């Protein structure tokens, strides 16, 4: 029977990453990692698969619709992680005797959600998370916000607004309306405001609260104000006065002012975060030049999350940068990286008889820290130049029979001859810097 060719294809919502994209992704991860480490966060890892009951917790079914869940070969009910926060809560409960608190971790890895694919949103994507557990201080909340602002600045994302709110204040407001028992449904509806618009949210709220008046009051509450102080006074007037939740927001904002970054933050009562484990500070981040792509960084405080896995109360706060959506935004804004390799130089092969000299020159250059490869055979120079250009290589090198190097800048076409490896490396590395 003749073998049939299988058509190469990808599942909907999944994609391959070609070298240029993966190099850009890796460079962003490296820069974000450097910032996270500078704040004292350390790396951990958790499995892709967890028991379904671990991930789904007390979900009312909304999360279950997005989770990739199946029975494994051992008959176990398992699911693929849909974020990095819930596995971290399990991790914390399981390893609490081995951790020093407050414990600050970062975790950058893929997660999976079976939601409808759209621009900047996929079923498989990378999250860049940080969390602090074991502290319920306002300082920990502010530090998360400062770290996220610094991480985005490190990758040249400066024109942003980080919208902050407090779930406690919103819950007090709902209690004043007598609809607190429906808070999860209301929170999910409000969380959709930017996606589906005011009219659709109002319809959902009217169905949930069974009251047009209450739905309108909720919409009035979440309307933005001109300044932080105006917004917080309005919140206090509508939710029963000042309390720990609004005082926490004031403390956080003062710390942001002290850090010199308060201008990037706004108090926005419409930010609720749809996930039901948030209990305090919540925030979402939007690009000034491309707000339509949605939040690129979000998170909040979840004081009771680990309590599902341990009797010990372990407060926590965290945040996550959605790397794939951020990359899609950077592509639209024209600030995405275009590197085709990590190479500094390409050693061209003029004649196969020089292969030994070429390899020696490459070895010598690498010993000085130069990233270099050797074109393997003496093909036409046009082909060799084309490869170097495709890989974004700045320097071309020709090696003579006596081992001397000719160094050519492939952009300016300037060429310097008769160099040894040390002299060539010095020129190459100074240009890299």
């Amino acid at each position: 029977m003749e073998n049939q060719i299988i058509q190469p294809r990808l599942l909907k919502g999944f994609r391959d990453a070609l070298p240029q994209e993966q190099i850009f992704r890796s460079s962003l991860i490296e820069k974000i990692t450097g910032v996270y480490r500078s704040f004292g966060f350390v790396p951990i890892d958790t499995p892709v698969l967890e028991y379904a009951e671990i991930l789904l917790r007390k979900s009312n079914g909304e999360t279950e619709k997005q989770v990739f869940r199946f029975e494994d070969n051992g008959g176990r009910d398992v699911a693929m992680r849909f974020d990095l926060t819930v596995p971290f809560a399990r991790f914390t409960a399981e390893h609490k005797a081995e951790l020093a608190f407050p414990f600050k971790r970062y975790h950058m890895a893929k997660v999976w959600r079976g939601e409808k694919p759209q621009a900047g949103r996929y079923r498989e994507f990378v999250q860049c998370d940080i969390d602090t557990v074991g502290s319920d201080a306002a300082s920990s909340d502010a530090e998360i916000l400062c770290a996220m602002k610094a991480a985005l600045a490190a990758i040249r994302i400066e024109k942003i607004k980080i919208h902050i709110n407090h779930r406690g204040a919103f819950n007090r407001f709902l209690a004043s309306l007598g609809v607190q028992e429906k808070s999860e449904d209301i929170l999910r509806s409000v969380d959709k405001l930017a996606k589906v618009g005011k009219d659709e949210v109002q319809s959902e709220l009217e169905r949930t609260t069974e009251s047009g008046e209450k739905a309108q009051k909720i919409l009035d509450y979440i309307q933005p104000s001109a300044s932080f102080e105006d917004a917080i006074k309005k919140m206090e007037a509508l939710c029963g006065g000042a309390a720990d939740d609004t005082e926490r927001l004031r403390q956080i904002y003062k710390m942001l002012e002290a850090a010199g970054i308060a201008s990037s933050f706004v108090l926005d009562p419409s930010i609720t975060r749809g996930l039901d484990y948030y209990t305090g500070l919540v925030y979402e981040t939007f690009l000034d030049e491309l707000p339509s792509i949605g939040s690129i960084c979000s998170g909040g405080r979840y004081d009771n999350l680990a309590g599902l896995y341990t009797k010990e109360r372990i407060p926590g706060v965290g945040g996550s940068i959605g790397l794939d959506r951020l990359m899609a935004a950077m592509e639209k804004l024209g600030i995405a990286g275009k590197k085709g390799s990590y190479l500094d130089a390409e050693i061209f092969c003029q004649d196969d008889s020089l292969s030994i000299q070429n390899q020696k020159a490459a070895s010598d250059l690498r010993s000085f820290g130069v990233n270099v490869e050797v074109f393997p055979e003496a093909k036409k120079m046009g082909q060799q130049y084309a490869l170097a250009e495709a890989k974004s290589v700045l320097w071309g090198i020709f090696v003579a029979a006596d081992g001397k190097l000719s160094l050519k800048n492939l952009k300016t076409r300037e060429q310097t001859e008769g160099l040894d490896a040390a002299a060539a490396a010095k020129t190459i590395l100074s240009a890299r810097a």
Side-chain angles (χ1 to χ4, degrees), residues 70-86:
F70 56 93
E71 183 178 292
D72 71 4
N73 291 341
R76 290 170 287 262
D77 182 12
V78 298
M80 299 171 73
R81 63 188 180 209
F82 65 91
D83 73 2
L84 299 176
T85 304
V86 178

Side-chain angles (χ1 to χ4, degrees), residues 87-201:
F88 177 53
R90 190 269 309 154
F91 173 96
T92 302
E94 197 160 355
H95 298 283
K96 62 182 185 293
E98 305 161 65
L99 303 175
F101 292 93
F103 177 63
K104 298 164 63 174
R105 81 86 163 93
Y106 71 85
H107 189 187
M108 303 193 193
K110 288 184 176 181
V111 298
W112 294 265
R113 295 181 189 175
E115 55 191 353
K116 184 178 179 181
Q118 52 186 285
R121 188 187 292 271
Y122 307 96
R123 289 176 171 172
E124 177 184 66
F125 53 97
V126 175
Q127 289 188 332
C128 303
D129 280 23
I130 48 173
D131 290 86
T132 298
V133 292
S135 169
D136 59 5
S139 178
S140 294
D141 292 347
E143 184 180 64
I144 289 288
L145 296 174
C146 289
M148 285 301 181
K149 175 70 170 72
L152 292 171
I155 56 176
R156 299 186 297 143
I157 302 296
E158 299 274 12
K159 297 178 181 179
I160 59 170
K161 282 292 183 291
I162 302 178
H163 296 229
I164 65 173
N165 193 21
H166 197 292
R167 283 279 283 266
F170 194 76
N171 288 338
R172 281 201 294 136
F173 169 68
L174 295 181
S176 74
L177 295 181
V179 293
Q180 190 172 17
E181 75 282 357
K182 300 176 180 178
S183 64
E184 288 185 16
D185 292 331
I186 292 170
L187 287 167
R188 268 187 284 275
S189 295
V190 171
D191 193 44
K192 298 176 186 176
L193 185 62
K195 301 173 188 174
V196 302
K198 179 181 175 181
D199 292 343
E200 177 63 28
V201 170

Side-chain angles (χ1 to χ4, degrees), residues 50-63:
E50 300 265 8
Y51 284 104
E53 67 175 0
I54 294 289
L55 293 184
L56 299 177
R57 313 177 325 281
K58 297 177 182 178
S59 168
N60 67 356
E62 193 68 25
T63 302

Side-chain angles (χ1 to χ4, degrees), residues 336-407:
K338 299 294 183 183
K339 287 183 66 176
S341 74
Y342 294 104
L343 291 171
D344 298 308
E346 181 85 18
I347 294 178
F348 297 125
C349 185
Q350 302 173 87
D351 192 292
D352 290 333
S353 65
L354 296 172
S355 294
I356 295 172
Q357 289 92 326
N358 288 347
Q359 291 294 339
K360 181 182 186 309
S363 181
D364 291 343
L365 288 166
R366 291 187 193 111
S367 72
F368 290 108
V370 175
N371 297 335
V372 60
E373 74 173 6
V374 176
F375 198 93
E377 52 193 315
K379 289 191 173 181
K380 293 179 180 179
M381 287 307 303
Q383 292 178 260
Q384 299 190 48
Y385 281 126
L387 180 71
E389 183 179 358
K391 292 186 175 184
S392 310
V393 177
L394 177 59
W395 300 99
I397 297 174
F398 300 94
V399 182
D402 62 2
K404 290 294 184 181
L405 310 182
S406 294
L407 185 62

